[in-house]
Amino acid sequence: MSREDPFIERVSQSAKLVNGHYNIGLPLRKEDAEFPNNRCMAEQRALSLKRKLNKSPQFREDYVKFMADILDKGYAIKVEKGSQDGSKNTWYILHHGVVVGGI
């Protein structure tokens, strides 16, 4: 292991068991890291997903069912519009639907 990047130590210090699942903090080199603003890219990805959902009723049905399951299990949470603070440590996860097994 590199002394300059003690990944294992950071992960070990932040690991917690929550509702039967392990959570770890992001192993950032600096606690006060600043991320570039990627909101525009996330919005473009969402628009692309919206077009795909509108084109395929079956894909939309499968996607809605899958997302409801993810939310019900607590693997993800719904973020209310306007709750983001827009700070320098905000990062938007680019989202898209994937068909497993092909068509």
Side-chain angles (χ1 to χ4, degrees):
M1 286 188 286
S2 168
R3 290 179 189 224
E4 295 174 16
D5 189 18
F7 176 82
I8 299 299
E9 182 180 333
R10 289 178 190 174
V11 169
S12 298
Q13 290 174 352
S14 69
K16 295 177 190 157
L17 185 61
V18 179
N19 296 326
H21 299 277
Y22 283 99
N23 291 342
I24 64 167
L26 293 174
L28 304 172
R29 288 183 191 262
K30 297 187 321 183
E31 291 290 325
D32 59 347
E34 293 183 9
F35 301 105
N37 186 343
N38 74 327
R39 183 179 174 129
C40 184
M41 282 194 323
E43 288 174 345
Q44 289 300 316
R45 177 72 66 170
L47 289 173
S48 176
L49 175 60
K50 183 177 181 179
R51 286 190 298 272
K52 188 173 182 179
L53 293 170
N54 287 334
K55 283 183 185 177
S56 173
Q58 183 61 54
F59 179 73
R60 180 177 42 244
E61 181 182 326
D62 293 343
Y63 179 85
V64 169
K65 184 177 172 183
F66 174 80
M67 291 305 296
D69 187 48
I70 293 293
L71 292 167
D72 288 345
K73 290 178 178 175
Y75 297 157
I77 59 171
K78 190 171 185 176
V79 177
E80 297 301 323
K81 189 173 185 175
S83 66
Q84 303 86 2
D85 63 6
S87 68
K88 300 259 183 189
N89 61 0
T90 299
W91 181 259
Y92 298 92
I93 297 174
L94 304 181
H95 182 76
H96 58 276
V98 176
V99 177
V100 178
I103 294 177

